[in-house]
Amino acid sequence: MSKKQMVVRGVLLAITFAMSVLAVSMAGCGPKQHDPYSQNYSALEKVSDFSLGGDVCYFDKLQTGEENILLFWSSWCPHCESLIEKVDQMDGKDVIKKNLFTVAEDKGLDDIEGHKDDFPIYLDQDESVFESLGLEHIPSVFIVNDQGEVLGSAQGEEDSLALLQEYAAYNK
């Protein structure tokens, strides 16, 4: 083998090694991968986008490259209020509230006044969003990616809390 061929092979070997190191180091740069969520009550594969008024839609609020939470609740529901109180007492509450968006099934702004500074709230007065997703119970929670694809879902206070705890553990 000539000296020139040895140099070319050495350069190719060095480039291959450098690319391998780069690929390994960048492996942690994308979205975190974890086990699937254990809670998945809904057969819904994707949450439909819905208008928040004007030119703003729910999908505009989704955090790119992250998992997001969509919570359906109401101020008149004792299980919803209990769930919100339990989340407020969790160690992972900041992780949950970072990407939390809620849809309140209340009739007016006065009903949700107590939570207006806690998290983003869309008031679904005519229940059109609730019905478009085929929901029957509150609280209902969806974990969705930035494309609205459902990664996990739960309904009822205890199952919703379990899903939110799992979300907090996965998204520390």
Side-chain angles (χ1 to χ4, degrees), residues 26-107:
M26 290 189 66
C29 293
K32 288 190 259 181
Q33 299 295 317
H34 55 73
D35 292 336
Y37 284 99
S38 62
Q39 301 286 330
N40 223 341
Y41 91 93
S42 175
L44 197 63
E45 293 181 11
K46 185 171 183 175
V47 172
S48 304
D49 200 5
F50 53 92
S51 175
L52 301 175
D55 293 338
V56 180
C57 290
Y58 169 62
F59 282 13
D60 298 333
K61 300 292 184 182
L62 295 175
Q63 298 299 315
T64 305
E66 297 185 31
E67 295 178 345
N68 299 265
I69 303 170
L70 179 60
L71 167 64
F72 288 83
W73 68 286
S74 182
S75 64
W76 51 259
C77 169
H79 298 287
C80 299
E81 290 293 334
S82 177
L83 174 64
I84 291 169
E85 186 177 311
K86 288 175 182 176
V87 167
D88 279 338
Q89 296 170 0
M90 286 175 50
D91 288 336
K93 73 178 176 184
D94 293 334
V95 171
I96 290 171
K97 288 188 176 185
K98 177 180 172 241
N99 292 343
L100 174 65
F101 188 87
T102 71
V103 177
E105 302 304 318
D106 286 285
K107 297 301 178 198

Side-chain angles (χ1 to χ4, degrees), residues 7 13 15 21 24 45 61 82 85 89 93 102 112 119 129 139 162 169 172:
V7 169
L13 184 60
I15 289 172
V21 169
V24 169
E45 293 181 11
K61 300 292 184 182
S82 177
E85 186 177 311
Q89 296 170 0
K93 73 178 176 184
T102 71
I112 60 172
F119 38 75
V129 177
K172 291 180 189 176

Side-chain angles (χ1 to χ4, degrees), residues 143-156:
I143 307 298
V144 298
N145 66 14
D146 58 4
Q147 301 300 307
E149 296 168 333
V150 177
L151 307 174
S153 58
Q155 68 178 353

